[in-house]
Amino acid sequence: MIKNNFIEFSFNKNEDIDHEILPDFEKFQTLNSAEQYFLADNYNWDDGIIVLDWIIDSPKCDKGTASLIFWRAEPDFYFNYTAETIDEYEKPVWNLLQKIVEKFKQNKFKNNKLKFDPIKEGYKTDWETKLDIWEIPLELKTATKGKKPFGFGF
């Protein structure tokens, strides 16, 4: 169900259809925390960030999933930009990253059962940032607690 509805969904576009293909939000709402992690882990960013936004906004979103999304976005690219200076086409990812930072700062992710370790995944977490808006909470720079979900299979 995840692969058919959320992985590379925009690649299934029929050439005769002029409108953008969007995933089904009602189906998304049926996903549990582990399924959201799996989706984020396998997501093709070429589909845009609508599904990633849904995950971050979901009350089921685990800290590990939010951390995975944050680091996969390659946040260091955005560290020198503000909402006023970022190019328009980069704004959706910039906004997503800022949302994740703020939710970590405010302890809004209630679930902490799924593991993501940015350092073990190869991400540099000690970037110097000059803008206060990019003050990344320590919790986002370190491994989350919990276990890495097993594969659900494609």
Side-chain angles (χ1 to χ4, degrees):
M1 195 270 289
I2 292 172
K3 181 184 179 206
N4 291 337
N5 291 286
F6 303 107
I7 306 295
E8 298 182 350
F9 62 87
S10 69
F11 292 74
N12 298 326
K13 184 176 182 180
N14 182 331
E15 296 300 323
D16 297 331
I17 300 174
D18 285 340
H19 63 279
E20 181 180 10
I21 296 174
L22 296 175
D24 187 332
F25 184 66
E26 288 182 26
K27 286 182 182 173
F28 169 79
Q29 290 179 304
T30 67
L31 301 180
N32 63 37
S33 293
E35 291 167 329
Q36 287 181 356
Y37 186 104
F38 175 82
L39 173 55
D41 194 26
N42 292 283
Y43 193 73
N44 186 333
W45 287 65
D46 289 339
D47 276 329
I49 64 156
I50 186 169
V51 172
L52 301 172
D53 257 328
W54 290 350
I55 293 171
I56 296 303
D57 290 339
S58 170
K60 298 175 194 174
C61 184
D62 190 270
K63 287 181 181 182
T65 306
S67 182
L68 179 149
I69 291 170
F70 182 83
W71 293 108
R72 291 270 172 92
E74 302 289 341
D76 56 299
F77 172 82
Y78 299 89
F79 288 164
N80 293 321
Y81 295 101
T82 66
E84 293 77 30
T85 61
I86 191 81
D87 288 330
E88 200 61 36
Y89 73 94
E90 296 286 0
K91 240 180 198 172
V93 175
W94 188 95
N95 289 332
L96 177 68
L97 290 168
Q98 279 295 299
K99 186 188 311 185
I100 294 169
V101 168
E102 285 307 308
K103 287 184 93 167
F104 265 93
K105 285 180 180 178
Q106 297 171 11
N107 199 29
K108 297 261 177 145
F109 295 110
K110 300 304 177 194
N111 298 324
N112 193 19
K113 297 177 181 171
L114 304 174
K115 186 172 189 91
F116 182 79
D117 186 341
I119 295 168
K120 280 190 177 177
E121 294 287 332
Y123 294 99
K124 180 179 177 183
T125 61
D126 60 349
W127 293 100
E128 281 192 39
T129 57
K130 297 174 184 153
L131 301 170
D132 289 343
I133 59 172
W134 289 112
E135 187 177 311
I136 301 170
L138 181 61
E139 186 177 26
L140 190 50
K141 294 179 179 184
T142 58
T144 56
K145 294 179 169 81
K147 297 180 180 183
K148 189 160 186 164
F150 61 91
F152 290 91
F154 264 143

